[in-house]
Amino acid sequence: MKDTPLSNCERDFLLKAIEEKKRLDGRQTYDYRKLKITFGTDYGCCFVDLGKTRVMAQVSCELVAPKENRPNEGIMFFNIELSPMASPAFEQSRQSELSVKLNRQLERCLRNSKCIDTESLCVASGEKVWQIRTDVHVLNHDGNLMDAASIAAITALRHFRRPDVSIQGDEVTVYSPEERDPIPLSIYHMPITVSFSFFQQGTYLLVDPSEQEERVMDGLLIIAMNKHREICSIQSSGGIMLLKEQVMRCSKIASVKVSEITDLIEKALENDKTARKAGGRCGYAESITQERITALKMDETPVEVTDVKETASDIIQKAEPSPHKVPSLVVPVPGVGQVGQGLKNTWGLEEEDDDDEEEEEEEDTNDNGSAEQEEDLTVMEEEPHKTGESREANVVELSDSEEEEVIILHPETPDRTPKNTGSTSHQKGAAKSKKRQKK
Amino acid sequence: MVSGLKEKVGEVLLPGDEFCFEAEDTISLTEQVKPEKVVCGPGLRRSGDRLLVCKSGVLRHKQPNTFWIDSQQRRYVPVKGESVVGIVTAKSGDVFKVDFGGSEQASLSYLAFEGATKRNRPNVQVGDLVFAQFLIANKDMEPELVCIDGSGRANGMGVLAGGGLLFRVSLGLVRRLLAPHSKIESDLKQLFPCELVVGMNGRVWVHSCSVQQTLIIANLLQSCDTMTAAQRRELFRRVQQGVL
């Protein structure tokens, strides 16, 4: 099945918005979407949600004969599966260009960086080694598959435990988890990719492009880096000319992003570990229950409000009839819902709408003690009863990792609109109150 | 059975729920027994002597005996006479191929525009948005769109030019938007002056004077999808307060 085509109007609007430093989902230029890491019931099963992009990684192991030229090293195998469920554009059982590209990139990121100690996977030299296979399944495609896949893969590898083995003479014994505790892989460092998309021949740069942005971008730069600021791989595609400064800037941004993501992964792993130790509920089923369709919950789309101040006065002064619109559209017929007469707005500010950014929220809750804000919160407190019931009993690991929010590195505009725009939607209630509980 | 259906009006039903055609317990001897006729709309399906629910949603009722399920689905199935927003994907000979979000593409003749003749072709490019209505929509034939009404007038249809943003909402919200005296529409009207074209296929095109406003409207409408009326009013009120 063919993918939905991108219309000219969407393309033009996106580019125009990017020129004005706005994104459809209200993120800033360097913002990641909301990142959520959950684990399955098994070891080595990890789900990563990056906005609406969702991938699953499953690690498995097998005892095989080693490669001839490397008798002492285990084998790493990576595979990315693009199922038609993720996007109608993906076809079943056909290696598309995209999947080859992603596979190659993932291999470069994880295998070629030698982040995993393959020699520790050797059982009997030249005879038996562990083959570690990482399958990444794309469950939903909303852009930036590479970053989601790399996070999922490395987290799953960190989470994975292989069975313990012992050798007595020629005999190799593999112990079940009941007999001996399974052993984690030895991982030296965690390379994570960060994608940058370039627009208008490199004039504009965005981090973590969404699917629509990926469609209109001119070029893509993928940097794989670890927490120690070591670049593990760097790849530029799309055929744009990048200046040295641009690459340097991107690598700086990447280093900040990577350290944030690494912290998040560590935290998620820690939470999962404590949950498993405590014998609490963990795993896939737990991650699913809270997304009930009856919960009337929607992830908020943040809309940026940073430059409201300038524009506000502008609009008041320049309130004039807008240029003539397509005349045929004025006639209201069934199917045409026209609102207003196409005049410029006269009510002043164009503040944001339903939702502001998560972090702004945090700011608000922290430092904004205005009465309105208080009232806002009390309203919010009552809300979650509808949705929150099921969430109360959550596993630690889930609730926590879900909360995580990638915070922008360079808070470019420290003077965010100080007054709370008070536009928080009701749906936000649950998230907000949770945040308070946490504090 | 009608009484059984009426009891459930306004409740959430799920696929697999069923109603039985049961004979009335008591039959009046004096009055003439009239056979009851029930009209089943979308989401309800007759199977033998049972009435099956095949979509999840809220059961709705209209006098005298019309029932349907009000669902929040996103997949669009073309219906003759409905207006949709489509994207032109190809020009082939004298027809345009239009993607409207359905299972296959629709064809749109270049003569089906207001004032178009063989000489005077409309200026439509691949990737343009068209607002058109279905002339043919049936499961065995390729759907066909036209941008004129019966009298050859555009009547609001045609190419959507001049920028704007296209986004997708659920079909339920579209129906709510297009309903006569729609509350959402009137609420929105008070907030922002804008042009809004709503296609029955869940695509909405919005155009206002600035990028920021367009984004806000798009986000507002998308978030309306899962809100109750009270929540929506509250949200709109907040936006308005933040604005004024």
Side-chain angles (χ1 to χ4, degrees), chain A residues 62-76 121-132:
Chain A
E62 196 184 354
L63 276 174
V64 292
K67 287 180 182 157
E68 302 246 323
N69 51 352
R70 297 188 191 278
N72 297 326
E73 290 183 16
I75 300 169
M76 301 297 301
L121 296 172
C122 177
V123 178
S125 173
E127 284 170 31
K128 281 274 178 277
V129 293
W130 284 109
Q131 185 193 46
I132 305 291

Side-chain angles (χ1 to χ4, degrees), chain A residues 320-430:
Chain A
E320 57 184 39
S322 71
H324 192 59
K325 297 276 161 53
V326 193
S328 63
L329 280 168
V330 180
V331 190
V333 290
V336 180
Q338 194 205 350
V339 183
Q341 285 298 315
L343 288 174
K344 279 237 163 123
N345 58 340
T346 45
W347 30 257
L349 309 184
E350 44 175 10
E351 214 81 285
E352 53 101 341
D353 71 325
D354 39 359
D355 4 62
D356 31 355
E357 295 180 8
E358 194 76 23
E359 67 191 286
E360 185 171 27
E361 242 175 70
E362 297 229 47
E363 265 172 38
D364 285 340
T365 41
N366 288 341
D367 54 13
N368 194 337
S370 75
E372 198 207 337
Q373 179 62 31
E374 287 301 319
E375 177 196 310
D376 199 37
L377 282 173
T378 46
V379 176
M380 289 311 172
E381 284 289 273
E382 292 159 20
E383 274 308 301
H385 293 301
K386 288 175 202 154
T387 63
E389 228 78 287
S390 67
R391 306 168 131 261
E392 296 294 312
N394 258 337
V395 227
V396 195
E397 132 243 16
L398 289 180
S399 58
D400 221 281
S401 52
E402 180 203 348
E403 289 286 296
E404 265 9 84
E405 168 45 35
V406 183
I407 285 155
I408 48 161
L409 353 170
H410 307 297
E412 285 182 326
T413 47
D415 57 330
R416 283 177 172 256
T417 45
K419 67 179 154 173
N420 176 30
T421 47
S423 54
T424 33
S425 76
H426 277 246
Q427 294 158 342
K428 218 191 274 188

Side-chain angles (χ1 to χ4, degrees), chain A residues 3 33 47-57 80-90 98 102 136-149 209-211 214 291 299, chain B residues 74:
Chain A
D3 208 2
R33 282 169 287 178
F47 295 81
V48 169
D49 290 79
L50 188 61
K52 282 183 192 148
T53 297
R54 184 170 169 87
V55 300
M56 186 200 92
I80 291 192
E81 204 76 41
L82 302 178
S83 83
M85 203 173 76
S87 157
F90 298 156
L98 178 69
L102 289 174
V136 180
H137 293 265
V138 177
L139 304 179
N140 192 30
H141 174 35
D142 190 33
N144 206 2
L145 288 179
M146 191 57 232
D147 291 10
S210 71
E211 199 231 349
E214 274 184 354
E291 291 172 8
D299 288 335
Chain B
R74 285 170 170 270

Side-chain angles (χ1 to χ4, degrees), chain A residues 22 325 333 337 339 347 427, chain B residues 127 155 194-196 212 226 243:
Chain A
K22 292 191 174 78
K325 297 276 161 53
V333 290
V339 183
W347 30 257
Q427 294 158 342
Chain B
N155 208 358
C194 66
E195 281 179 276
L196 199 65
Q212 175 94 34
T226 49
V243 157

Side-chain angles (χ1 to χ4, degrees), chain B residues 2-238:
Chain B
V2 176
S3 57
L5 269 169
K6 275 183 182 159
E7 269 173 29
K8 293 271 185 184
V9 168
E11 284 184 30
V12 174
L13 295 180
L14 296 174
D17 287 354
E18 59 179 53
F19 300 96
C20 288
F21 291 94
E22 282 163 10
E24 297 286 327
D25 293 338
T26 51
I27 299 173
S28 162
L29 291 172
T30 49
E31 283 174 45
Q32 213 171 7
V33 178
K34 269 191 287 180
E36 271 184 312
K37 200 183 254 180
V38 175
V39 182
C40 295
L44 293 172
R45 172 186 289 177
R46 206 193 108 177
S47 156
D49 59 347
R50 293 174 309 160
L51 191 63
L52 289 172
V53 177
C54 56
K55 272 183 197 171
S56 54
V58 183
L59 186 69
R60 303 282 183 203
H61 172 234
K62 195 177 162 191
Q63 289 299 336
N65 276 331
T66 309
F67 295 91
W68 73 95
I69 301 273
D70 202 5
S71 62
Q72 290 281 328
Q73 76 173 28
R74 285 170 170 270
R75 192 173 71 96
Y76 179 66
V77 181
V79 175
K80 188 180 170 183
E82 284 187 351
S83 320
V84 294
V85 176
I87 304 168
V88 177
T89 54
K91 283 186 197 177
S92 58
D94 30 345
V95 292
F96 303 111
K97 288 284 173 219
V98 178
D99 175 281
F100 60 91
S103 57
E104 65 174 327
Q105 299 201 329
S107 63
L108 170 63
S109 166
Y110 75 94
L111 290 172
F113 287 86
E114 190 184 46
T117 55
K118 287 230 166 193
R119 279 232 180 130
N120 184 16
R121 282 176 167 245
N123 181 23
V124 181
Q125 306 299 325
V126 169
D128 275 357
L129 292 178
V130 286
F131 187 55
Q133 66 177 4
F134 279 106
L135 189 69
I136 298 174
N138 90 36
K139 61 181 174 185
D140 301 317
M141 287 167 71
E142 184 184 40
E144 188 178 339
L145 289 165
V146 286
C147 289
I148 42 173
D149 62 6
S151 54
R153 291 311 189 87
N155 208 358
M157 289 179 284
V159 178
L160 300 175
L165 173 67
L166 181 79
F167 58 95
R168 285 158 194 84
V169 294
S170 80
L171 300 188
L173 180 70
V174 163
R175 283 193 292 268
R176 273 187 280 158
L177 268 171
L178 291 177
H181 319 297
S182 155
K183 277 279 180 323
I184 304 183
E185 193 204 306
S186 56
D187 286 356
L188 199 62
K189 207 185 286 181
Q190 289 165 2
L191 275 185
F192 295 105
C194 66
E195 281 179 276
L196 199 65
V197 175
V198 185
M200 283 299 286
N201 57 345
R203 292 196 181 148
V204 180
W205 178 84
V206 62
H207 185 226
S208 69
C209 36
S210 73
V211 170
Q212 175 94 34
Q213 265 192 49
T214 312
L215 275 174
I216 292 173
I217 294 163
N219 277 308
L220 274 179
L221 281 176
Q222 277 174 331
S223 58
C224 279
D225 235 347
T226 49
M227 284 178 156
T228 61
Q231 285 174 322
R232 189 188 67 237
R233 271 196 297 276
E234 173 72 12
L235 167 66
F236 277 43
R237 194 180 58 79
R238 279 174 187 279

Side-chain angles (χ1 to χ4, degrees), chain A residues 84-375:
Chain A
M85 203 173 76
S87 157
F90 298 156
E91 280 180 49
Q92 187 81 58
S93 71
R94 231 188 68 190
Q95 283 268 318
S96 65
E97 204 180 321
L98 178 69
S99 82
V100 172
K101 204 179 114 189
L102 289 174
N103 252 319
R104 185 77 199 105
Q105 184 62 32
L106 192 68
E107 278 182 8
R108 281 165 48 129
C109 167
L110 293 177
R111 187 198 289 157
N112 299 4
S113 66
K114 301 214 187 315
C115 61
I116 293 157
D117 179 16
T118 45
E119 285 181 12
S120 71
L121 296 172
C122 177
V123 178
S125 173
E127 284 170 31
K128 281 274 178 277
V129 293
W130 284 109
Q131 185 193 46
I132 305 291
R133 184 190 165 98
T134 312
D135 286 289
V136 180
H137 293 265
V138 177
L139 304 179
N140 192 30
H141 174 35
D142 190 33
N144 206 2
L145 288 179
M146 191 57 232
D147 291 10
S150 90
I151 296 169
I154 194 68
T155 316
L157 284 167
R158 278 288 301 271
H159 190 242
F160 182 67
R161 304 278 188 276
R162 68 173 168 83
D164 199 2
V165 288
S166 71
I167 310 162
Q168 281 155 346
D170 278 352
E171 209 166 283
V172 178
T173 323
V174 180
Y175 295 99
S176 68
E178 289 80 28
E179 289 170 304
R180 281 197 192 176
D181 280 343
I183 304 169
L185 304 175
S186 67
I187 293 173
Y188 297 131
H189 59 93
M190 291 171 36
I192 287 161
T193 64
V194 179
S195 303
F196 300 88
S197 55
F198 290 91
F199 299 83
Q200 314 236 323
Q201 298 307 312
T203 325
Y204 300 102
L205 172 147
L206 294 184
V207 175
D208 183 21
S210 71
E211 199 231 349
Q212 278 180 320
E213 285 161 354
E214 274 184 354
R215 288 209 206 180
V216 296
M217 71 188 172
D218 290 331
L220 183 70
L221 180 74
I222 300 177
I223 299 180
M225 201 186 249
N226 63 20
K227 199 171 63 177
H228 317 297
R229 294 176 156 230
E230 293 162 341
I231 292 178
C232 301
S233 86
I234 183 162
Q235 186 186 13
S236 154
S237 54
I240 50 156
M241 307 282 280
L242 289 178
L243 300 171
K244 187 183 155 201
E245 293 83 60
Q246 281 176 310
V247 180
M248 292 305 288
R249 193 156 126 240
C250 287
S251 66
K252 272 192 196 118
I253 298 167
S255 69
V256 182
K257 290 290 169 205
V258 165
S259 66
E260 284 168 10
I261 295 171
T262 310
D263 290 347
L264 175 61
I265 293 175
E266 299 286 0
K267 207 167 170 186
L269 284 165
E270 191 62 37
N271 281 328
D272 183 66
K273 202 173 161 189
T274 46
R276 273 170 206 273
K277 211 176 226 171
R281 297 187 295 171
C282 58
Y284 181 68
E286 286 312 304
S287 69
I288 294 305
T289 42
Q290 59 179 337
E291 291 172 8
R292 292 192 305 183
I293 51 164
T294 50
L296 211 70
K297 170 192 171 259
M298 202 182 77
D299 288 335
E300 61 264 31
T301 37
V303 167
E304 70 164 307
V305 290
T306 42
D307 52 355
V308 167
K309 274 192 172 166
E310 304 98 81
T311 52
S313 55
D314 274 10
I315 287 168
I316 295 167
Q317 280 150 24
K318 296 191 294 186
E320 57 184 39
S322 71
H324 192 59
K325 297 276 161 53
V326 193
S328 63
L329 280 168
V330 180
V331 190
V333 290
V336 180
Q338 194 205 350
V339 183
Q341 285 298 315
L343 288 174
K344 279 237 163 123
N345 58 340
T346 45
W347 30 257
L349 309 184
E350 44 175 10
E351 214 81 285
E352 53 101 341
D353 71 325
D354 39 359
D355 4 62
D356 31 355
E357 295 180 8
E358 194 76 23
E359 67 191 286
E360 185 171 27
E361 242 175 70
E362 297 229 47
E363 265 172 38
D364 285 340
T365 41
N366 288 341
D367 54 13
N368 194 337
S370 75
E372 198 207 337
Q373 179 62 31
E374 287 301 319
E375 177 196 310

